[in-house]
């Protein structure tokens, strides 16, 4: 690993706010669709609370994907 290649941990921390908020938006939209089958809507605050633990595995997968793209762009793969 060279100094110009971002480390997995730094990239993970950089991407976490974006992926966690994407999870929150998707949870909120899913909660709105639940109303069609008679379930109560998911509030925005509940979606934000649920996105914290659910964002961790999603962010891991996203970081692996971005790291692969970086490796491919720099000719390491």
């Amino acid at each position: 690993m060279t100094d110009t290649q971002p480390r997995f941990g730094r990239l993970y921390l950089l991407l976490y706010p974006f992926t966690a908020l994407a999870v929150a938006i998707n949870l909120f939209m899913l909660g709105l669709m639940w109303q069609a089958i008679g379930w109560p809507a998911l509030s925005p605050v509940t979606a934000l609370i649920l996105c914290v633990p659910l964002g961790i595995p999603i962010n891991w997968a996203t970081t692996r994907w971005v790291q692969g793209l970086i490796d491919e762009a720099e000719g390491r793969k």
Side-chain angles (χ1 to χ4, degrees), residues 7-19:
R7 292 191 192 126
F8 186 83
R10 287 188 352 196
L11 190 58
Y12 184 89
L13 291 175
L14 177 71
L15 292 176
Y16 181 76
F18 300 104
T19 55

Side-chain angles (χ1 to χ4, degrees), residues 6-75:
R7 292 191 192 126
F8 186 83
R10 287 188 352 196
L11 190 58
Y12 184 89
L13 291 175
L14 177 71
L15 292 176
Y16 181 76
F18 300 104
T19 55
L21 289 177
V23 168
I25 291 169
N26 285 316
L27 283 173
F28 178 69
M29 297 302 267
L30 181 65
L32 291 177
M33 290 190 293
W34 282 342
Q35 289 181 337
I37 59 172
W39 292 2
L42 196 64
S43 73
V45 174
T46 305
L48 282 172
I49 291 169
L50 289 174
C51 83
V52 174
L54 292 176
I56 292 171
I58 300 298
N59 191 37
W60 178 83
T62 303
T63 304
R64 296 247 330 173
W65 173 64
V66 170
Q67 187 69 51
L69 291 176
I70 291 171
D71 289 344
E72 184 179 335
E74 292 181 353

